Amino acid sequence: MATFRIKRYNPEKQPESYYEEFQLDIKPGMTLLDCMNEIKWTLDGSLTYRMSCRSAICGSCAVKANGHSLLACQRQGAHLVKDDETIVLEPLGNMKPIKDLAVDFKPFWDKVDKVNPYLQPDKKAPKEERKQSPDQFRLIDDSSTCIMCGACYSDCNMLEVDDNFLGPAALAKAQRFVQDSRDGKTLERVKYLSKPGGIWDCTHCGECVERCPKPAQPFHRIKEIMTVALDQGVTNNNGARHALSFAKLVKSSGSLNENIIPVETVGFFNIKGLFDLLPVGLRMFFKGKNPPILHKSIDDVEDVKRIYMELDE
Amino acid sequence: MKFALFTGCVAKGATRELMLSTMKSAEGLGIEFVEMKSAACCGAGVVSEKNPLLADALNARTFAIAEEQNLDLVTICSTCQGILKKTECHVDSDPAYKEKVNSVLQEGGHQYAGGKIKIQHFANVLGTEEGLKLLREKVKRPLTGLKTAAFYGCYVLRPSELSLYENPDDPTGMEEIFEILGATPVYYDSRTKCCGFPIVMMNKDASHDMAGNALIDAVDSGADCVVTGCPLCHLSLDAYQPEIEKMNKKGCSVPILHLPQLVALALGYSPQELGMDTHVVATTGLDKILA
């Protein structure tokens, strides 16, 4: 017998959320969603959550189990029971609960809308269908698998501190069009995605990759957009300057010169940006933490330069 | 135990106390590190933003150097560890890609075979049966009474298939080390979260907010210090703590230690020998607890 500790919330009855415990015998083969259904159908009909397909296709039943988001229909209930014989169920994070485990997806969908999630071809429709080679399709295959379940959005560390971030799902969806060979708005798309709240605000926490129930894996897609943005010359922002400076500095000495990268990231003529670097720079200087003024190259740096010549020129 | 040491750039730059304390820990434990002086920067997941193949080629070159030394590779930075494991996965899982990478390395006299060496963070080495046994034998000054909060760093945990921790959502590797050193582990939700460092130049407020939330969580959980295996987390949590304190109304002041500093303290080294006087947040409060 397992104890399901479920976060309940019904603002029509009381403003605060609370936890309620249900005992359930998890039979072999029951998914977490089967368990939730069993609780609803036999113990408390008022328990509220979203569900539909039961086959990890519709993306409706994402919840937090033991602190992390997942698709309830995709996981075996028995596998989620902790050592203390409990499973804790909570609504997805970074979105407001409506009732019990159902959350308001409006901000999520608004952000997906912002990336223009549809094809914008620059040529008239051909008489036959627009064809793609297998290689062209492969570039957008993974992001096409996103089922918009919100698991990535829920656990994104960046969204916990900045609502303005477009978030992993919208950015993965954006990559699906940025790298679509039939789309004609690549440059416009990466310009928009390079603004504050876009690709360069991703903090690399990897939560979206960990929680994604499909191969969409948003962080990898975000990095693919970054590469396209740099290739397209959309470099007038701190994120792009940081990437370019980083790669250039490693080329010149084999290792990162931490004295130069902050300056090149904010830009030499960005007086305010440079001024903002001062407090931490001075603090580290007076503590003796400033990186050595004379930056030392690694041994055999010529081999690193040769690899750059071969792959990056 | 003998390893090829991949120092990473930050241990040679802004957190030289990490390098210092790593070598002291190794000395105290009788571990031999051979520094990989010709290994290039791992790219920190940033070089790959510009050119993924270039980043993988540079890291495969590093693996080839460790193979030539016939030594397992040890990192002292969570970011280096995660990035190197990613390259290992990319290259090892695709023979055609490995051939492409090796064709680039050939002219420099390197070839990456694969499957010959392990890539491990120092914390993982200490967490092995042999490492834990060594620690048990060598602790001279148990850190009794020190409530210690681990801060793992994202890259050693996620993606979980590349993590060396058994349960990356709820790891216990660092806490096991703390217990052997005599310290008391503090478990808190933020220990597996992001420190915000990767966006400190792009979105400073969000970065500091993220770090501040983690610090508050650690302080509220009773931590005397936060211990990290990542020098980038250290910079975010220590060097920027004055800005974070200004931003967060609640107190979040807590010293931040590198894992090798904590280990070496228990081995009997003094805080000065471990460069703890170079931290932005004073660590002197810990002396009273350990007195």
Side-chain angles (χ1 to χ4, degrees):
Chain A
M1 193 68 81
T3 301
F4 284 75
R5 198 159 181 266
I6 303 180
K7 194 168 190 181
R8 306 295 307 265
Y9 175 61
N10 183 354
E12 288 174 8
K13 290 195 172 170
Q14 70 174 72
E16 301 88 18
S17 59
Y18 60 96
Y19 286 88
E20 188 172 3
E21 292 189 351
F22 297 93
Q23 309 293 321
L24 187 76
D25 182 21
I26 303 176
K27 295 191 176 64
M30 282 176 87
T31 63
L32 175 60
L33 182 59
D34 291 334
C35 299
M36 289 156 61
N37 285 339
E38 194 69 14
I39 292 169
K40 183 173 176 70
W41 296 337
T42 64
L43 300 174
D44 186 344
S46 73
L47 179 64
T48 303
Y49 50 89
R50 288 195 178 93
M51 64 152 287
S52 182
C53 78
R54 299 175 298 167
S55 307
I57 294 169
C58 75
S60 299
C61 66
V63 291
K64 269 193 178 185
N66 301 332
H68 301 286
S69 57
L70 47 73
L71 273 189
C73 70
Q74 201 187 32
R75 306 287 285 271
Q76 287 290 301
H79 295 172
L80 295 165
V81 180
K82 296 191 291 180
D83 291 343
D84 61 357
E85 299 297 318
T86 63
I87 299 179
V88 180
L89 295 184
E90 292 162 320
L92 292 178
N94 293 325
M95 286 177 272
K96 282 184 185 153
I98 300 170
K99 190 182 175 197
D100 295 340
L101 303 176
V103 297
D104 179 7
F105 262 69
K106 188 172 184 306
F108 174 94
W109 290 117
D110 285 349
K111 288 173 182 176
V112 174
D113 273 349
K114 282 184 180 175
V115 306
N116 294 337
Y118 42 82
L119 210 57
Q120 295 178 298
D122 58 356
K123 291 176 191 151
K124 280 185 182 170
K127 284 182 183 165
E128 293 177 351
E129 72 274 22
R130 288 188 174 86
K131 288 178 181 167
Q132 282 195 301
S133 69
D135 281 347
Q136 286 172 330
F137 174 67
R138 217 164 280 129
L139 292 173
I140 57 169
D141 189 15
D142 286 341
S143 48
S144 303
T145 64
C146 175
I147 54 174
M148 297 282 154
C149 65
C152 60
Y153 195 93
S154 161
D155 286 22
C156 170
N157 280 198
M158 185 59 186
L159 283 166
E160 289 175 9
V161 294
D162 191 349
D163 284 344
N164 189 45
F165 183 45
L166 282 169
L171 291 171
K173 180 57 79 183
Q175 184 272 339
R176 187 244 168 280
F177 295 100
V178 163
Q179 292 201 277
D180 191 315
S181 57
R182 300 161 297 184
D183 196 78
K185 300 282 185 194
T186 309
L187 180 61
E188 289 85 342
R189 287 183 189 277
V190 292
K191 274 185 182 170
Y192 174 70
L193 296 168
S194 296
K195 290 183 175 175
I199 47 175
W200 301 107
D201 272 7
C202 167
T203 191
H204 302 200
C205 69
E207 284 285 359
C208 56
V209 168
E210 197 56 33
R211 308 305 156 203
C212 179
K214 294 286 169 180
Q217 313 274 290
F219 178 40
H220 301 326
R221 308 290 83 79
I222 292 168
K223 294 198 59 152
E224 286 160 3
I225 303 174
M226 289 170 173
T227 306
V228 176
L230 296 173
D231 283 349
Q232 294 274 331
V234 182
T235 56
N236 190 20
N237 60 75
N238 282 10
R241 279 191 292 267
H242 180 258
L244 294 175
S245 171
F246 200 117
K248 187 190 79 179
L249 292 168
V250 174
K251 179 185 178 182
S252 66
S253 69
S255 67
L256 186 65
N257 185 334
E258 296 163 288
N259 285 320
I260 294 178
I261 195 162
V263 177
E264 290 193 339
T265 297
V266 299
F268 282 110
F269 303 108
N270 178 355
I271 304 299
K272 187 189 174 303
L274 292 172
F275 192 75
D276 282 350
L277 294 173
L278 271 180
V280 73
L282 289 173
R283 194 181 299 141
M284 289 173 71
F285 178 78
F286 287 120
K287 281 286 181 179
K289 274 180 80 71
N290 57 304
I293 302 295
L294 289 175
H295 183 74
K296 196 171 170 287
S297 293
I298 62 163
D299 292 354
D300 197 16
V301 68
E302 292 310 316
D303 191 35
V304 170
K305 288 180 182 172
R306 181 194 61 77
I307 293 172
Y308 264 82
M309 286 292 283
E310 192 162 339
L311 297 178
D312 205 46
E313 296 295 322
Chain B
M1 289 202 268
K2 187 176 176 182
F3 300 97
L5 179 66
F6 183 84
T7 63
C9 304
V10 189
K12 292 300 205 70
T15 63
R16 295 190 295 285
E17 73 280 3
L18 169 60
M19 187 65 190
L20 188 65
S21 55
T22 298
M23 297 317 283
K24 292 289 182 196
S25 301
E27 179 187 77
L29 291 167
I31 294 174
E32 189 180 344
F33 280 140
V34 181
E35 192 183 329
M36 301 181 75
K37 290 188 175 173
S38 59
C41 165
C42 74
V46 178
V47 172
S48 61
E49 288 163 3
K50 182 166 188 290
N51 187 332
L53 173 60
L54 170 68
D56 282 339
L58 293 175
N59 290 335
R61 177 179 171 277
T62 296
F63 305 157
I65 293 168
E67 285 179 346
E68 289 152 20
Q69 292 177 315
N70 200 22
L71 292 172
D72 286 338
L73 186 157
V74 166
T75 59
I76 48 175
C77 166
S78 297
T79 304
C80 295
Q81 173 66 23
I83 297 302
L84 293 182
K85 287 298 285 183
K86 267 186 195 169
T87 290
E88 185 191 39
C89 174
H90 292 162
V91 179
D92 285 2
S93 63
D94 184 346
Y97 189 58
K98 185 192 270 183
E99 203 179 311
K100 193 174 178 180
V101 166
N102 269 330
S103 72
V104 176
L105 301 187
Q106 200 164 18
E107 204 183 315
H110 301 295
Q111 283 292 280
Y112 169 56
K116 280 185 168 179
I117 56 149
K118 278 189 209 158
I119 299 160
Q120 304 167 91
H121 190 281
F122 190 33
N124 301 123
V125 173
L126 296 175
T128 60
E129 213 171 295
E130 198 180 353
L132 294 174
K133 185 169 168 271
L134 254 184
L135 285 173
R136 266 186 217 103
E137 288 168 7
K138 303 283 185 182
V139 168
K140 283 186 189 156
R141 180 176 57 180
L143 308 176
T144 313
L146 188 68
K147 283 178 261 165
T148 312
F151 195 85
Y152 280 82
C154 300
Y155 277 98
V156 288
L157 302 173
R158 294 176 289 271
S160 52
E161 62 267 25
L162 300 182
S163 174
L164 298 181
Y165 290 103
E166 206 171 301
N167 181 2
D169 274 347
D170 190 15
T172 53
M174 282 178 72
E175 286 83 355
E176 282 165 24
I177 294 170
F178 298 167
E179 279 181 351
I180 290 178
L181 302 179
T184 307
V186 171
Y187 290 87
Y188 64 117
D189 286 347
S190 302
R191 68 201 179 96
T192 58
K193 287 203 166 185
C194 180
C195 69
F197 187 82
I199 50 161
V200 72
M201 307 292 290
M202 297 77 174
N203 189 336
K204 197 173 55 176
D205 287 350
S207 172
H208 294 340
D209 205 3
M210 220 178 273
N213 289 344
L215 293 174
I216 288 170
D217 193 7
V219 171
D220 285 353
S221 304
D224 298 318
C225 63
V226 170
V227 176
T228 180
C230 183
L232 301 179
C233 296
H234 193 276
L235 286 174
S236 191
L237 301 174
D238 175 70
Y240 286 103
Q241 209 175 107
E243 280 90 349
I244 296 167
E245 275 196 277
K246 269 185 209 160
M247 195 175 182
N248 285 281
K249 290 184 177 70
K250 238 169 112 186
C252 61
S253 177
V254 62
I256 316 294
L257 268 57
H258 300 282
L259 177 66
Q261 287 178 325
L262 191 81
V263 171
L265 274 178
L267 298 177
Y269 293 94
S270 71
Q272 289 71 29
E273 284 177 290
L274 306 172
M276 284 166 61
D277 50 341
T278 66
H279 292 193
V280 166
V281 181
T283 60
T284 42
L286 305 181
D287 299 345
K288 289 172 200 156
I289 299 167
L290 296 173

